[in-house]
């Protein structure tokens, strides 16, 4: 997935335009309600207007498929399990009150790639796996940690070796996010060993883990 290039058309009004890789990113350009909560129905209404669709159900299906493609592109069984199970379990149950679980979100953005920056690094983590925005401006980041979060590959042996430096960066970024007001929840990639991304199947252990997590999370914030 190529990194999008953004420019400000009007910096005062935060009017942003994508000038490269436009098909790889979506920009939600509507104001959030005073509560700070972003519901699935809000995203569907935005998508319906954006795509010029008359049928709301078709818009909901189309938006879900568009977001699902970004999840599949991440090649993470855990991300796939979280995304699909969340909407399967709580979509009908919560209806219009369903908070939007947004995948592959740029919470921070550096216009330059790592190759262009070289050793000069300003933002260690820019894109988060998932974001939930709930009432009272509660912002929740959910991350699925694959090996690249805690290990580096040895070129000679092909083995992955634990890296204290990578782990330290993860801890530092988590602290920074929390101090900015975000709640951060992490899953280890190994927790989803019975999920098959290629076959698009979610194992019972993965399904139960996702269900249990979101049930407790949404109850904690009085969504259900």
């Amino acid at each position: 997935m190529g990194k999008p290039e953004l420019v400000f058309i009007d910096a005062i009004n935060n009017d942003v335009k994508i000038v490269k890789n436009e098909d790889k990113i979506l920009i939600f350009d509507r104001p959030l309600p005073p509560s700070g909560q972003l519901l699935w129905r809000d995203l569907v209404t935005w998508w319906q207007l954006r795509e010029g669709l008359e049928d709301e159900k078709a818009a909901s299906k189309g938006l879900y498929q568009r977001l699902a493609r970004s999840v599949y592109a991440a090649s993470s069984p855990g991300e796939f399990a979280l995304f699909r199970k969340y909407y399967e379990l709580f979509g009908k149950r919560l209806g219009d009150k369903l908070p939007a679980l947004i995948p592959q979100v740029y919470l921070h953005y550096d216009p330059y790639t790592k190759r262009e920056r070289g050793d000069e690094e300003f933002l260690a983590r820019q894109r988060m796996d998932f974001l939930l925005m709930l009432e009272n401006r509660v912002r929740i980041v959910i991350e699925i940690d694959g090996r690249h979060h805690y290990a580096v590959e040895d070129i000679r042996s092909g083995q992955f070796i634990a890296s204290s430096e990578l782990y330290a960066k993860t801890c530092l970024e988590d602290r920074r996010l929390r101090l900015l007001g975000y709640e951060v929840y992490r899953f280890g990639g190994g927790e989803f060993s019975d999920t098959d991304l290629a076959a698009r199947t979610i194992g019972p252990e993965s399904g139960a883990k996702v269900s249990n997590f979101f049930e407790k999370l949404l109850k904690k914030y009085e969504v259900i």
Side-chain angles (χ1 to χ4, degrees):
M1 180 182 293
K3 188 170 186 178
E5 289 186 13
L6 309 177
V7 296
F8 277 99
I9 301 300
D10 185 339
I12 301 299
N13 294 314
N14 288 323
D15 189 1
V16 178
K17 180 177 176 61
I18 309 169
V19 295
K20 186 178 180 181
N21 293 322
E22 186 173 1
D23 60 325
K24 301 293 193 300
I25 191 171
L26 297 174
I27 296 180
F28 183 73
D29 54 3
R30 307 185 77 183
L32 292 173
S35 69
Q37 182 171 227
L38 183 61
L39 299 173
W40 176 249
R41 70 180 182 190
D42 298 325
L43 280 186
V44 171
T45 299
W46 163 76
W47 181 257
Q48 193 172 355
L49 293 171
R50 181 185 187 273
E51 299 297 302
L53 301 172
E54 294 184 3
D55 186 72
E56 184 178 342
K57 288 185 178 180
S60 182
K61 181 179 179 180
L63 176 58
Y64 177 87
Q65 291 173 340
R66 170 63 180 81
L67 296 181
R69 287 197 297 273
S70 71
V71 174
Y72 300 148
S75 301
S76 166
E79 291 182 42
F80 163 68
L82 248 78
F83 180 79
R84 173 172 285 188
K85 273 297 177 182
Y86 174 79
Y87 283 105
E88 283 183 357
L89 292 169
F90 298 100
K92 290 183 179 179
R93 181 175 171 183
L94 292 176
D96 286 346
K97 295 182 179 179
L98 177 71
L101 179 66
I102 314 169
Q104 299 295 306
V105 178
Y106 277 101
L107 285 187
H108 322 293
Y109 187 79
D110 183 343
Y112 296 99
T113 64
K114 287 185 177 180
R115 179 177 297 178
E116 291 168 330
R117 284 287 185 198
D119 294 333
E120 185 182 36
E121 186 174 61
F122 286 99
L123 296 173
R125 291 200 339 250
Q126 298 179 55
R127 193 171 63 209
M128 308 302 164
D129 294 336
F130 294 102
L131 176 67
L132 277 169
M133 304 177 70
L134 305 180
E135 288 276 3
N136 301 315
R137 298 190 175 276
V138 172
R139 298 174 180 182
I140 296 171
V141 168
I142 305 171
E143 289 279 84
I144 314 296
D145 290 349
R147 287 182 296 192
H148 63 283
H149 283 270
Y150 55 80
V152 293
E153 185 176 11
D154 181 76
I155 298 177
R156 294 182 179 179
S157 66
Q159 300 295 315
F160 281 84
I161 302 171
S163 168
S164 59
E165 182 180 353
L166 278 180
Y167 179 68
K169 285 185 178 180
T170 296
C171 292
L172 176 63
E173 285 300 304
D174 278 2
R175 291 197 303 273
R176 191 169 67 83
L177 281 174
R178 290 189 177 105
L179 289 171
L180 288 172
Y182 291 88
E183 294 287 336
V184 182
Y185 293 90
R186 291 188 170 276
F187 288 85
E191 296 184 68
F192 301 94
S193 57
D194 64 340
T195 289
D196 189 332
L197 183 60
R200 301 288 196 266
T201 58
I202 300 171
E205 289 186 11
S206 296
K209 197 179 301 290
V210 173
S211 175
N212 183 56
F213 168 71
F214 280 117
E215 189 78 25
K216 291 180 177 178
L217 182 72
L218 297 178
K219 282 182 178 178
K220 176 181 177 180
Y221 292 105
E222 301 182 343
V223 177
I224 56 177

